[in-house]
Amino acid sequence: MVEERPRRVAAGRRALLLPVYVPTMLLALGQGLLVPTLPFYARDFGVSFAAAGLVLAAAGIGTMVADVPAGILLGRLGLKPTMLLGAGLVVASTFALALASVFPELIVYRLLAGVGTAMWGLSRHAFITETIDPRERGRAISMFGGINRIGMFGGPALGGLIGSQLGLTSSFYLAGALGAVAFVVSLIYITDTRVQTHSERHVRWGLVRAMIRTNWRDLSAAGVAQTFGQMIRAGRQTIIPFYGEAVLGLSVAEVGLIQSASATVDMLLFVPAGLIMDRYGRKVAAVPSFAIMAIGMALIPFTTGFGTMVGAAMLIGLGNGLGSGIMMTLGADLAPRGATGEFLGIWRLIGDTGQASGPLVIGTLTDVLGHEESAFVLSGVGFAAALILALMVKETRLPPVPP
């Protein structure tokens, strides 16, 4: 009996390998290719930083708008159809970026990519929530977050190199091709489309309303922290290329190397992050994560070139790595059984509001106040997320089952 439970846990994680982890890595690598090239591509249309920030935020806006409908769709169609439909939208919209002839097309295609990301991301989140024991959930979801980070590890450097040597649109074609492979892998290996739900829609939403009424204080505080945390996470992908290009005079290849260096530190920490969440608590990982990111963001205005920017970006990566999967784990902990899709749709909507607003805030503040001031504002947002989690959100970790 002592060995039986670890064996079940290991089997559960292996069950996620091909349906979830491999396609996630391929899609993350593809999106990582766009991290250094998309800001430069948008600026090539002769627009302001605020307009370019809108392009970077558009995917988050699309995801935010589609989160709740995706949760409803998940309950009706099942995991596999929702996941494949989402992956297909991401692939098609990424290829279309390379063919854009006017600036508004960029916004439309990124909005569609965001809708696809909502369906893809929510179905994977629900799959893990339904498959893994809650006491092992932190490790499983941090692994999921870590796989995303592995994909992002080489993406920016490769995207910057391809963009500088072959043209910015080449990175879009490669990203679309990687997404197509992820679609095929999911098509082949996802067989279990069951999600534990009540058959009646009003019953599922009744469970969600009951959860909100009972825990509204914790949910409100956690929602604000989730919004602020996602703002600094998304904003770092905007401020580094903007500051690197406009203030430090860095090339797209150099910006890609900086972001890959940050992703390297980030990637190395997803296993420790999962262990911390499951053994010591969700807050023990979350609070230092956002505080360290805030410190790294505050250092950006003091960078003087490629080397110092690498140092600040790696510190931000350290903070983000400590929080690998933390907000997804918190959402899975709070989700009521029988209405997982509906609740996670709302939870992801809250986080994606922050993710979408991060680039918009940075682009607008950069035009109005300047690059340094926007970095300090984003740093304050990160510190606010850490304080709210530390002081106002209850711990959701379940104690381990004794042997």
Side-chain angles (χ1 to χ4, degrees):
M1 286 296 292
V2 175
E3 295 181 358
E4 185 177 346
R5 186 168 176 272
R7 225 181 259 127
R8 286 202 310 271
V9 171
R13 290 179 194 158
R14 283 196 299 271
L16 300 176
L17 178 62
L18 290 172
V20 175
Y21 290 154
V22 171
T24 295
M25 184 172 67
L26 291 170
L27 276 171
L29 177 60
Q31 295 309 299
L33 294 171
L34 309 186
V35 168
T37 56
L38 188 57
F40 284 78
Y41 187 63
R43 291 277 291 158
D44 279 350
F45 282 81
V47 299
S48 66
F49 285 108
L54 179 59
V55 172
L56 302 183
I61 295 171
T63 302
M64 177 182 66
V65 170
D67 275 328
V68 174
I72 298 171
L73 195 66
L74 183 65
R76 292 184 176 180
L77 298 183
L79 286 164
K80 186 171 184 176
T82 306
M83 196 178 293
L84 292 177
L85 183 58
L89 272 175
V90 172
V91 171
S93 58
T94 302
F95 278 128
L97 277 175
L99 305 175
S101 56
V102 293
F103 179 76
E105 287 185 65
L106 304 186
I107 299 173
V108 172
Y109 297 146
R110 293 304 289 165
L111 284 170
L112 290 175
V115 173
T117 299
M119 290 187 284
W120 170 263
L122 182 60
S123 57
R124 291 175 302 169
H125 196 174
F127 190 92
I128 296 173
T129 302
E130 297 285 335
T131 303
I132 298 297
D133 187 297
R135 292 169 180 82
E136 306 291 337
R137 188 175 281 154
R139 272 167 280 188
I141 295 183
S142 69
M143 177 72 72
F144 171 65
I147 295 295
N148 268 307
R149 286 155 169 77
I150 291 173
M152 287 291 292
F153 160 61
L158 181 60
L161 180 62
I162 291 173
S164 62
Q165 299 297 318
L166 302 178
L168 297 174
T169 56
S170 300
S171 64
F172 304 152
Y173 287 121
L174 180 55
L178 289 169
V181 175
F183 178 92
V184 172
V185 173
S186 298
L187 179 65
I188 295 171
Y189 289 104
I190 296 174
T191 56
D192 184 3
T193 61
R194 294 170 298 171
V195 183
Q196 183 177 340
T197 61
H198 286 279
S199 58
E200 296 294 331
R201 180 180 175 185
H202 74 275
V203 175
R204 298 197 300 270
W205 283 107
L207 289 170
V208 174
R209 286 193 294 271
M211 162 64 73
I212 294 173
R213 281 196 303 268
T214 305
N215 301 285
W216 68 271
R217 291 181 185 274
D218 281 333
L219 288 172
S220 298
V224 174
Q226 158 92 318
T227 302
F228 286 171
Q230 298 298 358
M231 279 185 69
I232 190 170
R233 283 177 162 175
R236 69 195 167 107
Q237 305 289 19
T238 304
I239 199 166
I240 290 175
F242 281 0
Y243 196 89
E245 175 202 9
V247 179
L248 303 180
L250 302 178
S251 68
V252 62
E254 289 174 314
V255 169
L257 286 172
I258 289 169
Q259 290 170 313
S260 280
S262 178
T264 301
V265 180
D266 195 336
M267 176 188 68
L268 295 174
L269 292 171
F270 69 88
V271 173
L275 291 172
I276 291 170
M277 279 191 279
D278 282 341
R279 291 186 181 180
Y280 304 107
R282 314 315 194 200
K283 293 167 64 170
V284 176
V287 174
S289 168
F290 293 121
I292 293 172
M293 289 185 73
I295 294 170
M297 190 63 63
L299 292 176
I300 285 181
F302 301 100
T303 59
T304 56
F306 176 81
T308 50
M309 179 62 93
V310 166
M314 290 177 71
L315 186 59
I316 295 172
L318 171 65
N320 198 50
L322 283 174
S324 177
I326 180 60
M327 303 314 290
M328 290 178 63
T329 303
L330 187 58
D333 290 342
L334 296 170
R337 297 291 285 177
T340 301
E342 286 79 2
F343 180 85
L344 291 182
I346 296 173
W347 180 252
R348 293 179 69 92
L349 169 64
I350 294 169
D352 290 333
T353 301
Q355 186 173 2
S357 60
L360 285 174
V361 169
I362 292 303
T364 303
L365 287 177
T366 299
D367 281 334
V368 175
L369 300 177
H371 295 277
E372 293 82 1
E373 290 77 5
S374 61
F376 287 132
V377 169
L378 202 57
S379 174
V381 167
F383 279 122
L387 284 172
I388 292 170
L389 285 166
L391 302 177
M392 301 176 67
V393 178
K394 291 181 180 178
E395 180 58 57
T396 61
R397 168 185 170 268
L398 291 176
V401 176

